[in-house]
Amino acid sequence: MKKIEIKAEQFFELLKLKDTSMWSLFSQMIDGEEKEIIFLDNEEKILFNYILPLNAEKLEEDRKEFSKQFSDKLSTMN
């Protein structure tokens, strides 16, 4: 499995500047090889990781699940 390390702050800033979603970018990375995407903070500490699936259908399932969990988390914060 290929490991890809990403500085989270710069990554999300770039997505905002490019007006694109991380899911759109992830879909472009699907090439039949499983990849672990590791998000790091500015001190190189792991914030979270994501195993990029081998196909777009699984990516869409992951996106929906992430959206649901994120929405649930936001609703409990309010």
Side-chain angles (χ1 to χ4, degrees):
M1 177 184 315
K2 185 175 183 178
K3 294 183 185 278
I4 300 170
E5 294 184 349
I6 295 175
K7 295 280 186 122
E9 186 176 338
Q10 291 94 336
F11 176 72
F12 290 110
E13 192 61 37
L14 181 62
L15 290 178
K16 193 178 352 174
L17 288 171
K18 298 280 187 179
D19 193 29
T20 192
S21 75
M22 75 175 174
W23 300 104
S24 174
L25 182 63
F26 288 171
S27 72
Q28 295 173 33
M29 294 171 66
I30 294 174
D31 62 4
E33 180 183 10
E34 196 170 64
K35 297 172 183 69
E36 179 181 17
I37 302 171
I38 304 166
F39 290 87
L40 305 171
D41 67 9
N42 290 332
E43 297 173 358
E44 304 288 323
K45 293 179 186 165
I46 295 175
L47 297 171
F48 56 95
N49 66 341
Y50 175 65
I51 305 297
L52 186 69
L54 297 175
N55 60 59
E57 293 78 20
K58 176 66 173 125
L59 181 70
E60 181 61 17
E61 289 175 23
D62 289 356
R63 184 194 65 77
K64 288 177 182 176
E65 181 61 27
F66 175 84
S67 295
K68 180 186 178 312
Q69 289 180 13
F70 189 74
S71 178
D72 290 349
K73 189 164 273 214
L74 284 179
S75 68
T76 60
M77 292 176 70
N78 292 332

